[in-house]
Amino acid sequence: MSDQRVWLVNADESVRSSYLVSGSRTDNVSAGTYQVYSHSLHAVAFDGRSTMDYMVRFTTGRSSPIGFHDIPVDRAGHPLQRVEELGSPRSHGCIRQRTADARRLWRFAPVGTTVVVLD
């Protein structure tokens, strides 16, 4: 969490890729081991004010599921952050990624994939 980074790790423990993300501003995900439990190509934010693609859910927060997805857009289609801002906490709980990285993680992590969250 402190590095604001994702590592996609193969079964042989080699790193397939690593990249910057934007996680929660409130640290609402605890360090630990989780499992991917669902995918949605398109999703709506818990408050209904933004949408995102390539949602890969692995846990739940106080008010909604938490997962990986691309940078959300508001109702007018404007991104909620710039790609250049990845690497700093910006979300309400999920992990935001560039669209290309979100697609890569979507393909890499089917339901049942282990997700390890580090401090």
Side-chain angles (χ1 to χ4, degrees):
M1 290 182 291
S2 61
D3 287 347
Q4 297 291 297
R5 179 169 286 281
V6 163
W7 291 268
L8 302 184
V9 180
N10 295 315
D12 67 0
E13 298 188 10
S14 63
V15 175
R16 180 179 290 192
S17 65
S18 178
Y19 50 88
L20 291 174
V21 297
S22 285
S24 174
R25 291 176 288 184
T26 60
D27 294 330
N28 61 340
V29 177
S30 298
T33 302
Y34 303 87
Q35 301 291 316
V36 171
Y37 69 85
S38 77
H39 276 205
S40 294
L41 186 55
H42 308 291
V44 177
F46 72 97
D47 60 5
R49 293 193 272 183
S50 59
T51 59
M52 66 283 300
D53 294 329
Y54 305 104
M55 172 65 93
V56 177
R57 295 174 190 87
F58 65 92
T59 191
T60 51
R62 283 170 275 196
S63 61
S64 62
I66 295 175
F68 303 95
H69 56 72
D70 70 349
I71 295 172
V73 296
D74 64 18
R75 291 178 184 151
H78 301 115
L80 298 186
Q81 76 177 78
R82 297 184 325 268
V83 169
E84 296 80 24
E85 295 172 316
L86 291 170
S88 61
R90 298 268 181 196
S91 80
H92 291 103
C94 287
I95 297 91
R96 299 174 179 177
Q97 311 163 91
R98 290 181 317 137
T99 300
D101 292 329
R103 262 185 262 166
R104 181 180 311 126
L105 190 138
W106 168 271
R107 290 188 302 266
F108 179 83
V111 171
T113 298
T114 299
V115 174
V116 178
V117 176
L118 305 172
D119 282 332

